[in-house]
Amino acid sequence: MASLLQPTRPQLAVSGAIFRDGKVLLVRRARSPGRGFYSLPGGRVEFGESLHTALHREVDEETGLRIEILGLAGWREVLPGAFGGGHYVIMSFAARWTAREPVLNDEHDDFKWLAPDGLGDLKVTGGLLEVIEAARKLV
């Protein structure tokens, strides 16, 4: 049974800026943290798992997509806030869509394929625009 206590150390995570026909995939979080915010698919790296394996697994679990990882687009750190939350180091990769259409799991309630400069007034997670811009240079 998983512990309900927050980890006492930073957790390693991955995310993918997945491009298809010049557009990037954004998913909206259905629950906290970040409920209602659009972000990139991804999640925690499991013990003994490579970053690329973790990203392929997370993208498959969250969207059902198949991807080709192109390179590291950057990283960001999420620190616990005044109301708690986890401490994460997120390695963000540029990726290219290769197969399947998005089918979201229960972690997300919407997705959009958008031009990187066409996010408009969407509520997005911190640092997302910078990661997308860096990833676009690798595609």
Side-chain angles (χ1 to χ4, degrees):
M1 179 173 175
S3 171
L4 298 177
L5 300 174
Q6 282 289 341
T8 58
R9 297 187 175 132
Q11 302 293 297
L12 181 60
V14 291
S15 68
I18 303 166
F19 287 83
R20 177 182 184 180
D21 300 326
K23 296 181 178 180
V24 66
L25 177 69
L26 297 183
V27 291
R28 186 173 61 197
R29 296 176 187 254
R31 55 187 188 223
S32 293
R35 184 172 189 231
F37 283 78
Y38 283 87
S39 191
L40 303 172
R44 287 187 188 128
V45 177
E46 295 177 0
F47 182 79
E49 187 176 44
S50 74
L51 297 178
H52 282 200
T53 299
L55 183 57
H56 282 288
R57 177 184 51 76
E58 285 288 343
V59 167
D60 180 46
E61 289 174 2
E62 294 183 6
T63 69
L65 297 181
R66 296 294 182 255
I67 61 169
E68 173 190 2
I69 299 171
L70 303 173
L72 184 65
W75 63 276
R76 62 184 285 263
E77 186 174 28
V78 177
L79 297 171
F83 301 104
H87 181 178
Y88 295 94
V89 176
I90 305 168
M91 307 302 289
S92 297
F93 291 87
R96 182 180 297 121
W97 169 88
T98 60
R100 297 190 178 169
E101 295 302 318
V103 176
L104 302 179
N105 69 4
D106 63 351
E107 295 178 45
H108 306 289
D109 59 12
D110 189 34
F111 73 89
K112 297 179 184 300
W113 290 101
L114 296 170
D117 56 359
L119 305 188
D121 59 355
L122 279 183
K123 288 180 6 180
V124 298
T125 54
L128 180 68
L129 300 177
E130 293 82 2
V131 167
I132 290 173
E133 186 55 36
R136 183 162 60 168
K137 294 175 183 174
L138 298 173
V139 176

